[in-house]
Amino acid sequence: GFYGLYMGSGTRNALIDRNRVHDSYAKDTTHQSLTFAIYGNAHAVAGGENVITNNIVYNIKSDGIIQGIHINNYNHYRVYKNTVYIDHPGSNSSAITYGIQSRGATNNDIRNNNIYINRGGSGNKYCLYYANAKISNYNNLYMNLAQPASNIGYYGTGYATLAAFSAASNTDANSMTHNPGFVSPNTGYLMPTST
């Protein structure tokens, strides 16, 4: 598998800022191993939060499971102002796609992120995947719902609309679902053009 950035056990007060993670399998888009662009695998503490901010994930194309940002059952993460762009409409994969996944922890704060997913294949797709309550708001969650098994979010089950996901999870009341119209995303120029 591929890990762009990996925070291992004991990591506290880390700042993952202004990185570009891209082209993990540029020469083999049918590769079926896992892709974790940014992976948090450590408990932080109040006052020593791990902060993931201002990062860009793009050109991640494979037939395996793809996770833009993954926080693996751990506490005290702040995930702010990241862009995750997963665009592989020609994929025939049955693997799952996650923009941001935060599993068991309840005190992670996930705000002002821009998630774009347009991946083909039968695998489930989620902009946000939460196992329980989070602080989550002001995110832009664009999902090409014309693709099979597409969901804005997961909270106990998948939800195709932001309204349904927001009501179930009690999060993202001020989030939106809008195509940002990035200038040239496959080259890493992810400035939105849409107002």
Side-chain angles (χ1 to χ4, degrees), residues 20-101:
R20 292 174 174 265
V21 181
H22 58 95
D23 294 291
S24 55
Y25 297 109
K27 302 291 185 186
D28 184 7
T29 59
T30 61
H31 199 282
Q32 296 191 10
S33 291
L34 292 165
T35 296
F36 295 99
I38 300 173
Y39 189 90
N41 196 36
H43 276 299
V45 296
E49 291 85 356
N50 289 326
V51 178
I52 301 170
T53 185
N54 295 308
N55 300 286
I56 297 175
V57 175
Y58 67 98
N59 248 16
I60 305 295
K61 298 179 181 179
S62 77
D63 281 343
I65 294 172
I66 296 175
Q67 301 201 31
I69 299 173
H70 177 86
I71 301 166
N72 190 23
N73 295 319
Y74 295 122
N75 297 313
H76 301 292
Y77 280 80
R78 304 294 176 255
V79 182
Y80 301 147
K81 298 183 279 186
N82 300 284
T83 297
V84 175
Y85 179 80
I86 299 170
D87 186 46
H88 191 194
S91 175
N92 292 314
S93 177
S94 60
I96 300 175
T97 307
Y98 305 93
I100 297 175
Q101 180 179 181

Side-chain angles (χ1 to χ4, degrees), residues 56 114 180-185 188-194:
I56 297 175
N114 206 348
F182 295 123
V183 172
S184 182
Y189 188 15
L190 283 103
M191 184 181 81
T193 61
S194 173

Side-chain angles (χ1 to χ4, degrees), residues 49-193:
E49 291 85 356
N50 289 326
V51 178
I52 301 170
T53 185
N54 295 308
N55 300 286
I56 297 175
V57 175
Y58 67 98
N59 248 16
I60 305 295
K61 298 179 181 179
S62 77
D63 281 343
I65 294 172
I66 296 175
Q67 301 201 31
I69 299 173
H70 177 86
I71 301 166
N72 190 23
N73 295 319
Y74 295 122
N75 297 313
H76 301 292
Y77 280 80
R78 304 294 176 255
V79 182
Y80 301 147
K81 298 183 279 186
N82 300 284
T83 297
V84 175
Y85 179 80
I86 299 170
D87 186 46
H88 191 194
S91 175
N92 292 314
S93 177
S94 60
I96 300 175
T97 307
Y98 305 93
I100 297 175
Q101 180 179 181
S102 179
R103 286 197 174 261
T106 58
N107 55 5
N108 292 325
D109 189 351
I110 300 167
R111 286 187 275 175
N112 296 310
N113 299 286
N114 206 348
I115 310 299
Y116 177 106
I117 298 176
N118 179 25
R119 187 183 189 198
S122 61
N124 288 324
K125 302 159 193 71
Y126 307 99
C127 289
L128 298 176
Y129 187 102
Y130 296 155
N132 51 21
K134 302 287 179 284
I135 298 171
S136 180
N137 213 351
Y138 299 101
N139 298 296
N140 183 45
L141 310 168
Y142 177 77
M143 173 69 68
N144 182 354
L145 294 173
Q147 297 285 9
S150 295
N151 299 277
I152 292 296
Y154 177 96
Y155 190 80
T157 189
Y159 294 95
T161 68
L162 176 59
F165 171 69
S166 181
S169 64
N170 198 29
T171 66
D172 292 278
N174 298 293
S175 293
M176 63 176 67
T177 57
H178 195 72
N179 187 341
F182 295 123
V183 172
S184 182
N186 291 320
T187 65
Y189 188 15
L190 283 103
M191 184 181 81
T193 61

